[in-house]
Amino acid sequence: MPTPRKSRDKVRATGAAPRSRPALTMQDLYRAVDAARPRIGHPVFVRYTRLGREDAGALVALLARMVADAQAWIGRPPERLWANGSARRGQVCVTVQFQSGATALVGYAAPGDGLDLLILGNHGSMTYDSGIGFSGDTPLPYTLAEPADPRLQAAITRSLESGEPQPLAPS
Amino acid sequence: MPRLPYGVLLVSGSHTHQEDYAAAFAADPRCRLVAVTDEAGIDRRRAALNRRLAKQLGLPYLTDFGEALGRKDVQIVSICAPPERRGRIAVRCAQAGKHLYLDKSLAPRLEEVDALVAAVEAAGVRSQMFSFITQPWAAHARQLVAEGRLGQLRAIHADVFFAKGRTGTADLGSPRREAYPPARHQLMQAKRELDNVGVYPITLIHWLTGRKFRSVHAITANYFFREHQQQDVEDFGLLSGTLEGGMVVSIAAGRYGWTTHPASGINRMLLVGSRRSVVVDAHRPRLEMHTDEAPWTPPPVHPRDPMAFWSSTQQESGVRRKQTWVPLWPAASDVSYFLDCLGAGRESEMSVFPAAHAAEVLLAAYRSASEGRVVTLPLAREQIEPRRTRPLRPS
């Protein structure tokens, strides 16, 4: 029988339930990215893909939130976007051009679970592998306190309907 | 069918990928290198570099291109001339009845691409453009798709970047303005990286799905290197679009610097299926090594090849191999696959026909990046006047 570690004994002594794995959230990812971001120089490109099982009706709002995430990582407002694909079919990729000239590919694909993130800076890169198709890493739950930006939602919807890039007026 | 070994003629020499292709042909017992040659009228630097490779390989350098093509002991021509000359050279080689092994991408102008396809068809020769489809991880991806393990393929998202060059020197305050048609593809200091690197995921996606691109929206940028900016060529490109049947695809490609990746650069595809999705990564599975060896550091900048395009200049700069990741997939020889195809009398899966589609996708991408709109394929063929080839000096 393995010898119990001291820390585990201590937890038991306080009556708290031992947890084999702490639950991570998107807030943990945001915090880690924000802390690491200065090391890659100026962020110039974000590849941000979410695999999920969302209803088609919820996709545009989800993508708008993801574009807002990319905006936060790039640090400049988006200037133009093009949404390619079909919310009904669960496959959408949004190309975003920011005012600084930085770009992003923000995508949603179904079915699946996971999040894939690559941020390129002019001095380096950071990647987050959620374990899509690799190991048993638990996907992060996509929980955000902020509602989706209606301006971004409207632009994504217009682009999906028209098949053309949409300018974004300064907010 | 020629008797083995195949005689191989090399068009263009040092400071091109011919350095690698010639070595691969030379290493294969089915081949014998015959000579190095090139068009008449090339500049002195190119002529000197051609002679240099010929000397290194112990081959003659033939200045009469037509005469070299007429040799009976040549069955294959390996063509690494710069993109602007590649198309017309390949046409002449096909017309001479030679099989073509071609550097990527195929050619930068649609009329050249179409002329090459027509010439290969008319001559009945075999052809292959260098690509990643011969690599084991690509074969693994295709097997996943073919066996239906992902269900029906619904989307592909691919990223390919080369981790070479000293990054962080581009002026980010000057966003790129793309021009169409693109000019100046390959210079000493820089290449158009959407073309140079983006051709890999484009050909992979077409090969994996068997579907052609139907629409493209693209952006090019200068994010990393002053060299690219100064030569007005992009170091970054992204592309989103649809394939036949509406499949969504996206690609990010470029060159992002020695220190941006623990190995040769990101090279992965997210394959989204109706049943499940997987990432196919050229660097996975792998061993990861951490030792007390001296840490890897970037080489000094080579004055004649600052982006470390070529094997010879990398050697001269003393580039050390990165060894943190040890790949498990064995590297495969693209040349060997071509020779297999020739031996079996079958078409390569990266012949000029799919390669021509990739060239058209790249042109559509540059047009999209220039005009800021979605471009549909196939591109319109303008009324083409009888082909005017650039006059060559009498040889």
Side-chain angles (χ1 to χ4, degrees):
Chain A
M1 188 180 224
T3 309
R5 293 189 313 176
K6 279 186 180 174
S7 59
R8 184 173 169 136
D9 291 343
K10 193 172 180 181
V11 170
R12 279 185 177 161
T14 62
R19 292 167 65 182
S20 61
R21 184 186 189 115
L24 289 171
T25 69
M26 285 297 292
Q27 301 306 325
D28 296 302
L29 180 66
Y30 296 150
R31 194 182 60 248
V33 169
D34 286 346
R37 206 171 39 166
R39 296 174 58 197
I40 64 168
H42 294 285
V44 292
F45 172 68
V46 173
R47 163 74 95 170
Y48 185 22
T49 308
R50 180 83 188 177
L51 275 84
R53 298 168 194 276
E54 303 284 336
D55 290 337
L59 272 199
V60 169
L62 175 60
L63 285 161
R65 291 159 121 187
M66 293 173 70
V67 172
D69 284 350
Q71 173 180 348
W73 291 323
I74 293 289
R76 297 295 296 269
E79 189 171 60
R80 203 160 179 264
L81 63 77
W82 182 55
N84 177 33
S86 158
R88 185 178 53 78
R89 294 167 74 172
Q91 310 297 331
V92 180
C93 181
V94 184
T95 303
V96 190
Q97 209 163 2
F98 295 88
Q99 284 180 8
S100 56
T103 51
L105 285 169
V106 174
Y108 180 86
D113 286 300
L115 184 155
D116 204 47
L117 177 64
L118 162 71
I119 304 178
L120 300 185
N122 65 337
H123 283 278
S125 70
M126 68 172 99
T127 57
Y128 168 78
D129 280 342
S130 70
I132 299 169
F134 291 140
S135 61
D137 290 356
T138 306
L140 293 174
Y142 198 95
T143 50
L144 271 177
E146 296 294 320
D149 180 344
R151 193 177 57 104
L152 287 173
Q153 288 190 70
I156 292 169
T157 302
R158 280 198 309 274
S159 184
L160 282 172
E161 289 171 355
S162 68
E164 291 298 327
Q166 299 294 318
L168 288 160
S171 54
Chain B
M1 183 65 57
R3 289 174 60 191
L4 294 176
Y6 297 111
V8 182
L9 179 67
L10 310 174
V11 179
S12 293
S14 290
H15 291 205
T16 73
H17 290 305
Q18 196 71 274
E19 296 174 353
D20 308 312
Y21 301 165
F25 278 113
D28 196 299
R30 292 170 289 182
C31 293
R32 183 179 68 86
L33 301 184
V34 173
V36 179
T37 189
D38 210 328
E39 291 181 302
I42 55 174
D43 62 47
R44 279 167 43 184
R45 174 180 169 272
R46 173 45 47 209
L49 289 168
N50 291 347
R51 287 181 193 281
R52 182 169 131 179
L53 186 67
K55 187 177 177 186
Q56 283 171 352
L57 296 172
L59 299 174
Y61 180 59
L62 306 178
T63 53
D64 187 328
F65 181 53
E67 194 174 299
L69 275 187
R71 286 178 67 130
K72 297 282 187 247
D73 59 348
V74 169
Q75 287 80 40
I76 298 170
V77 186
S78 174
I79 303 169
C80 288
E84 289 76 13
R85 298 197 289 121
R86 196 173 295 156
R88 67 170 185 251
I89 287 175
V91 166
R92 284 189 67 187
C93 296
Q95 289 170 341
K98 310 300 183 189
H99 303 302
L100 311 178
Y101 187 76
L102 295 145
D103 198 12
K104 45 78 190 180
S105 63
L106 203 55
R109 294 168 61 88
L110 202 52
E111 57 268 35
E112 291 169 339
V113 171
D114 289 345
L116 177 54
V117 167
V120 166
E121 272 184 325
V125 296
R126 302 292 184 196
S127 58
Q128 181 169 307
M129 181 184 77
F130 181 83
S131 75
F132 284 164
I133 70 157
T134 50
Q135 297 308 305
W137 51 266
H140 170 66
R142 200 183 211 194
Q143 191 177 3
L144 287 173
V145 173
E147 291 177 351
R149 286 155 69 180
L150 310 181
Q152 191 181 357
L153 200 55
R154 291 180 166 174
I156 302 179
H157 303 287
D159 300 316
V160 184
F161 286 86
F162 288 172
K164 291 197 286 187
R166 292 265 182 169
T167 191
T169 56
D171 174 10
L172 297 179
S174 308
R176 176 170 183 76
R177 289 185 184 279
E178 193 52 82
Y180 184 85
R184 295 161 61 82
H185 279 70
Q186 181 177 303
L187 303 130
M188 189 179 78
Q189 303 88 341
K191 296 180 186 175
R192 282 190 170 271
E193 304 293 358
L194 174 60
D195 180 291
N196 181 47
V197 184
V199 68
Y200 292 117
I202 290 170
T203 48
L204 272 171
I205 287 170
H206 183 202
W207 175 74
L208 271 177
T209 62
R211 300 181 192 197
K212 290 188 169 181
F213 284 69
R214 283 292 171 248
S215 70
V216 164
H217 178 255
I219 297 170
T220 56
N222 288 101
Y223 290 153
F224 308 109
F225 303 109
R226 179 178 51 222
E227 288 86 347
H228 288 69
Q229 212 160 27
Q230 287 174 339
Q231 299 300 324
D232 194 19
V233 295
E234 77 283 357
D235 57 30
F236 172 94
L238 66 78
L239 179 163
S240 179
T242 50
L243 306 185
E244 292 168 324
M247 188 189 296
V248 173
V249 295
S250 68
I251 289 168
R255 178 178 302 265
Y256 60 9
W258 290 112
T259 49
T260 307
H261 191 267
S264 56
I266 191 168
N267 187 358
R268 68 206 296 267
M269 290 183 291
L270 170 60
L271 306 179
V272 181
S274 58
R275 195 175 301 154
R276 63 183 287 238
S277 303
V278 296
V279 172
V280 174
D281 189 325
H283 299 291
R284 285 179 186 254
R286 63 180 177 243
L287 296 182
E288 184 157 327
M289 303 283 299
H290 301 280
T291 73
D292 63 357
E293 295 168 346
W296 188 90
T297 51
V301 176
H302 193 294
R304 288 179 299 284
D305 183 12
M307 292 297 132
F309 293 139
W310 319 122
S311 297
S312 61
T313 46
Q314 287 184 44
Q315 271 188 341
E316 289 162 12
S317 300
V319 177
R320 289 166 54 212
R321 278 184 60 199
K322 294 178 183 173
Q323 299 192 81
T324 300
W325 290 357
V326 179
L328 294 192
W329 293 114
S333 165
D334 195 72
V335 159
S336 288
Y337 167 68
F338 182 48
L339 297 171
D340 292 344
C341 292
L342 288 183
R346 66 168 190 265
E347 196 73 78
S348 163
E349 293 189 41
M350 197 45 64
S351 69
V352 294
F353 306 111
H357 179 61
E360 191 166 352
V361 173
L362 285 166
L363 275 166
Y366 283 116
R367 170 164 261 175
S368 171
S370 166
E371 299 173 3
R373 64 179 179 89
V374 180
V375 173
T376 56
L377 290 104
L379 296 173
R381 264 63 178 172
E382 291 168 16
Q383 194 70 34
I384 298 175
E385 293 176 18
R387 190 171 157 72
R388 289 179 195 157
T389 51
R390 196 170 129 187
L392 297 172
R393 283 187 196 167
S395 50

